[in-house]
Amino acid sequence: MSTAITEQAVSFIENVRFDDLSAEALRIGRRCMVDTLGVMLAGTSEHAVHILMDDAAEQGGRPDALLLAAGWQRVPAAMAARVLATAGHAHDWDDTQVSHDPAHVYGLLTHPSVPPLTAVLVMAQRLGGVDGRRFMLAFQTGFEVECKISEWMLPRHYRRGHHSSGTVGTFGAAAATAKLLGLKGEQLAHALGIAASFAAGIRASFGTMTKPLHVGRAAENGITAAMLAARGFTADPTVLDGPWGFFSVMGEGFDPAKIAQGFGRQLTIVDPGVSIKPYPSGILTHQSMDAMLKLVLDHDVKADEVKSIRFYAGKNILEPIRYPVAVNHLQAKFSMPALLCMILLKRRASHHEFMDSFVASASMQDLQRRTQVLGDAEIDARGYDLIRSRIEVDTQDGRTLVQWADERYRGGPMNPLSDADLEGKFRMCAEGALDAGAQAKLLEAVQGVESLTSAARLAELMVFDGRQPH
């Protein structure tokens, strides 16, 4: 079957113009930037990011771009991207693609903003002279290519163990970089071909430092792919198509009916949209965490009043959210017992709760061991277009409290975070990195990003030295 998907991607990347972006696309794009820059700053508190910073600083090299959280130190573009994008995904708090397909598996959908935003933030510094309109256009170009590839793939890609934000994210960074570099035709096709061979990330590393590194490598590899293509490096120019193409090899195919959507005819960032995460854990957990919070607050439940907890859900939650008892904060992001118990104990779950000392505490360990995670065939039968679950809490005085998750995901297009809530999340993320005044300057710059004469200004406004005590 001839699909010419790569040809379509090349045509879109080459021909899309700033004027093709609707006012709504620009509005949502700015919101995604606010959110993503915030979670990048929050990620600098993670030991994994410190290791990558030290590695980049030790290797050194061409001073292309600022090394996040290292003051004014500069390193080669791809290395700067590895650190920046890993920080962006370190808390698993970055935004998530939406799909209306009831047959879709949520884990197949990518975290779309970090790879292309990292690419344009780094390349704007390397290239110089990139204004805000070019910056926004390149970001949206990478975002669209990444999301459409993810949407069209068969769920087998995720089910067999690939991590989409690492694999498909590579295309987002490559497309964004290629747009800034002005690659065209065969050279642009080669950039995508190189990116396909670089695409990697397996779910076995969920709950470890390597999970966010998948996204760091996606940004690093996407930039490298486009820059090599610009130098004349070659690859298969039809890499998304055919029996040995990306779709077939990585996911055993794609949905032929979806290909007609095309790239850019309706930008994914607008429809079906993007979710901005209220909690720093896998998106599949958030409705259930909100449900637990509602149950706790409605009934004023205290942890010492709880005898046991039962959590019922379908395979779309139970397969990736896989730790029955989390012993550290990385595992807690993929452990329903840990997340539900966190809400019960603290009545919130911010990155301040995702600390190894708290997750390993006696109260958390005891409650997790009194929490059962159970498959529910009825929930599975309703499909995976929405995230559905039910919580039952048995109290010491003999009551059973029941709460179904609200299918209207808080943070998703049906129930979005307000601008005020988004700013609150940004400021919480930036706390400890930037003072209130610096936070305000960065927010102002993002809100007026299209009018910037130099988009590299955004990176400069993020400068702080995370190696020194705050």
Side-chain angles (χ1 to χ4, degrees):
M1 177 182 179
S2 177
T3 57
I5 303 172
T6 316
E7 184 180 332
Q8 293 180 45
V10 168
S11 178
F12 168 72
I13 297 166
E14 185 174 332
N15 294 305
V16 65
R17 298 290 179 263
F18 182 83
D19 290 344
D20 296 326
L21 304 177
S22 67
E24 183 67 355
L26 295 174
R27 183 188 73 83
I28 299 172
R30 290 190 292 271
R31 281 171 56 89
C32 290
M33 289 183 181
V34 167
D35 184 59
T36 306
L37 296 181
V39 297
M40 286 172 171
L41 290 168
T44 60
S45 66
E46 287 292 289
H47 184 48
V49 175
H50 295 168
I51 293 172
L52 295 178
M53 285 171 54
D54 291 344
D55 180 63
E58 182 178 304
Q59 290 192 52
R62 175 178 161 139
D64 289 329
L66 291 161
L67 177 59
L68 181 66
W72 293 95
Q73 183 172 358
R74 294 175 180 270
V75 295
M79 197 173 296
R82 182 200 303 169
V83 176
L84 188 63
T86 301
H89 195 56
H91 287 294
D92 214 319
W93 215 353
D94 43 328
D95 59 22
T96 307
Q97 176 187 0
V98 172
S99 173
H100 293 325
D101 182 355
H104 227 301
V105 175
Y106 258 78
L108 179 63
L109 302 176
T110 185
H111 292 266
S113 285
V114 170
L117 185 58
T118 297
V120 295
L121 197 61
V122 167
M123 292 303 295
Q125 297 172 76
R126 176 184 165 97
L127 296 173
V130 175
D131 64 26
R133 286 165 63 97
R134 280 183 66 199
F135 184 88
M136 174 64 83
L137 175 60
F139 166 68
Q140 296 251 3
T141 301
F143 189 109
E144 171 69 0
V145 170
E146 180 180 348
C147 285
K148 284 298 195 295
I149 291 173
S150 182
E151 172 70 25
W152 296 346
M153 291 186 74
L154 295 181
R156 183 65 178 156
H157 179 72
Y158 188 74
R159 286 257 169 96
R160 70 195 292 181
H162 295 293
H163 179 202
S164 309
S165 297
T167 57
V168 183
T170 309
F171 291 101
T177 304
K179 188 65 176 175
L180 280 186
L181 290 174
L183 301 188
K184 298 181 184 299
E186 191 171 74
Q187 208 171 38
L188 178 49
H190 290 318
L192 297 179
I194 300 167
S197 284
F198 284 168
I202 56 174
R203 289 198 286 142
S205 286
F206 280 22
T208 74
M209 291 181 180
T210 298
K211 200 264 190 179
L213 180 59
H214 293 166
V215 180
R217 291 287 284 174
E220 175 186 4
N221 288 339
I223 287 174
T224 301
M227 291 175 65
L228 286 175
R231 292 180 179 274
F233 211 90
T234 64
D236 185 340
T238 59
V239 77
L240 295 174
D241 308 273
W244 291 345
F246 181 81
F247 282 116
S248 295
V249 172
M250 298 291 275
E252 298 181 11
F254 55 86
D255 185 341
K258 290 184 177 181
I259 302 302
Q261 295 173 351
F263 294 95
R265 294 174 190 166
Q266 177 60 64
L267 292 173
T268 298
I269 201 169
V270 174
D271 185 13
V274 61
S275 295
I276 292 177
K277 299 174 92 174
Y279 298 114
S281 58
I283 189 172
L284 297 162
T285 67
H286 294 178
Q287 289 87 340
S288 306
M289 294 168 74
D290 275 350
M292 188 61 163
L293 183 61
K294 185 177 190 309
L295 184 150
V296 167
L297 295 178
D298 284 354
H299 300 279
D300 193 25
V301 180
K302 308 296 193 299
D304 60 6
E305 298 172 345
V306 172
K307 181 179 180 181
S308 60
I309 302 167
R310 290 179 299 280
F311 175 75
Y312 295 90
K315 293 184 180 69
N316 61 329
I317 296 178
L318 301 187
E319 287 181 359
I321 312 303
R322 64 194 180 96
Y323 289 95
V325 176
V327 298
N328 59 49
H329 77 287
L330 291 170
Q331 291 180 0
K333 294 176 183 296
F334 298 92
S335 168
M336 282 312 313
L339 297 169
L340 298 180
C341 295
M342 187 180 292
I343 294 286
L344 178 59
L345 284 164
K346 292 293 189 178
R347 301 193 174 198
R348 71 174 199 172
S350 75
H351 62 305
H352 299 296
E353 280 67 58
F354 283 87
M355 304 287 289
D356 286 350
S357 58
F358 176 64
V359 175
S361 68
S363 56
M364 275 286 285
Q365 292 297 304
D366 175 57
L367 273 174
Q368 287 186 75
R369 285 172 170 80
R370 288 189 276 129
T371 302
Q372 287 183 282
V373 175
L374 302 165
D376 189 306
E378 181 182 347
I379 291 175
D380 262 326
R382 294 173 65 183
Y384 305 134
D385 55 326
L386 298 171
I387 304 172
R388 302 175 174 94
S389 65
R390 182 176 77 257
I391 300 167
E392 296 180 1
V393 174
D394 291 338
T395 63
Q396 299 287 1
D397 61 8
R399 292 174 295 158
T400 296
L401 309 175
V402 180
Q403 182 65 55
W404 279 85
D406 187 343
E407 297 176 357
R408 297 174 305 123
Y409 169 59
R410 185 167 67 93
M414 292 189 292
N415 187 16
L417 294 184
S418 67
D419 287 344
D421 285 344
L422 176 59
E423 180 176 335
K425 177 184 172 182
F426 170 86
R427 289 186 177 277
M428 181 165 57
C429 287
E431 183 181 347
L434 305 179
D435 62 28
Q439 293 170 23
K441 288 180 181 178
L442 181 54
L443 281 169
E444 182 182 11
V446 177
Q447 294 298 348
V449 62
E450 296 101 303
S451 64
L452 292 176
T453 55
S454 173
R457 175 67 175 154
L458 296 176
E460 295 168 359
L461 290 171
M462 296 173 70
V463 167
F464 78 102
D465 196 337
R467 299 167 300 190
Q468 305 298 325
H470 299 307

